[in-house]
Amino acid sequence: SAVISQKPSRDICQRGTSLTIQCQVDSQVTMMFWYRQQPGQSLTLIATANQGSEATYESGFVIDKFPISRPNLTFSTLTVSNMSPEDSSIYLCSVEARRGYTFGSGTRLTVV
Amino acid sequence: AQTVTQSQPEMSVQEAETVTLSCTYDTSENNYYLFWYKQPPSRQMILVIRQEAYKQQNATENRFSVNFQKAAKSFSLKISDSQLGDTAMYFCAFMKQIQGAQKLVFGQGTRLTINP
């Protein structure tokens, strides 16, 4: 099963700034998924990132706020732009594995 | 639209007891996948069990088993001989693949506490 390294594990950021989260997979995968988990809530899909094409965003999420890069089949980044306290969440990346989906360890973001 | 509902926000049982977590979903599709994920305080999402909708046999993974009722759109998780390490949030999830696009939809979660 794929192993994902996600960085940073946590960060505290000032409002108005941006944070880029990285996910590195130990094998080549076609699609990578980015999720947001707000405090005490479930996971919500932000976007699906395919290598070589623009990411597909879910309703309520826009590219200007959450730009995604997918330069190759093992790596992706999610940027949270112009942050506000409402962006304080856990952000997780995910890929499809043999039995299901494997997730990164998550990035806990606090915006102050 | 696909929705997943977990009606038990919290559950608590004694160690070694059996506990069942409920999940219902709504879909008009015939082929899909269902999952249970565990999220301990470390926040790592861990796959517990998977069920393919075309399989009538309920999936089993050691102490974890499901009761999959396709007609009722129900997918409950049974944990036998519960252990302290089972304490976590449990999420039921539904996945459908169509024309190469996939989406994993999660329920609201059930916080399970195993007491010594």
Side-chain angles (χ1 to χ4, degrees), chain A residues 57-95:
Chain A
Y57 288 82
E58 297 299 308
S59 176
F61 298 96
V62 295
I63 188 172
D64 289 346
K65 176 67 175 178
F66 297 102
I68 288 171
S69 78
R70 186 79 203 275
N72 57 55
L73 291 173
T74 64
F75 187 79
S76 180
T77 68
L78 170 76
T79 299
V80 186
S81 303
N82 187 25
M83 289 183 285
S84 66
E86 291 71 35
D87 294 320
S88 297
S89 295
I90 296 171
Y91 293 86
L92 301 104
C93 61
S94 175
V95 300

Side-chain angles (χ1 to χ4, degrees), chain A residues 37-55:
Chain A
Q37 186 177 22
Q38 295 177 299
Q41 303 293 315
S42 185
L43 281 75
T44 301
L45 182 64
I46 298 172
T48 302
N50 288 329
Q51 194 270 332
S53 63
E54 294 239 341

Side-chain angles (χ1 to χ4, degrees), chain A residues 33 35 45 58 101, chain B residues 94-97 101-105:
Chain A
F33 306 90
Y35 290 86
L45 182 64
E58 297 299 308
Y101 290 81
Chain B
F94 170 98
M95 192 279 278
K96 186 183 73 171
Q97 182 167 353
Q102 301 175 82
K103 184 182 294 187
L104 196 59
V105 180

Side-chain angles (χ1 to χ4, degrees), chain B residues 10-109:
Chain B
E10 294 187 22
M11 295 191 72
S12 178
V13 298
Q14 295 298 119
E15 192 175 6
E17 290 184 345
T18 295
V19 59
T20 299
L21 309 183
S22 301
C23 174
T24 59
Y25 58 94
D26 183 28
T27 183
S28 57
E29 299 298 317
N30 192 48
N31 295 318
Y32 49 87
Y33 295 85
L34 295 160
F35 305 89
W36 278 98
Y37 278 89
K38 165 185 176 181
Q39 188 180 42
S42 67
R43 75 175 176 264
Q44 179 72 52
M45 291 288 287
I46 301 166
L47 176 64
V48 175
I49 202 163
R50 175 179 109 162
Q51 176 79 44
E52 294 91 338
Y54 65 86
K55 288 187 177 180
Q56 293 184 334
Q57 186 174 8
N58 290 324
T60 299
E61 292 283 347
N62 301 314
R63 298 184 294 109
F64 299 87
S65 61
V66 299
N67 183 4
F68 174 48
Q69 301 290 327
K70 190 173 182 179
K73 298 179 183 176
S74 171
F75 182 60
S76 61
L77 175 70
K78 185 172 82 171
I79 305 174
S80 303
D81 185 26
S82 58
Q83 301 175 359
L84 297 179
D86 295 332
T87 293
M89 283 290 292
Y90 285 81
F91 293 98
C92 176
F94 170 98
M95 192 279 278
K96 186 183 73 171
Q97 182 167 353
I98 181 168
Q99 296 180 342
Q102 301 175 82
K103 184 182 294 187
L104 196 59
V105 180
F106 287 88
Q108 308 93 315

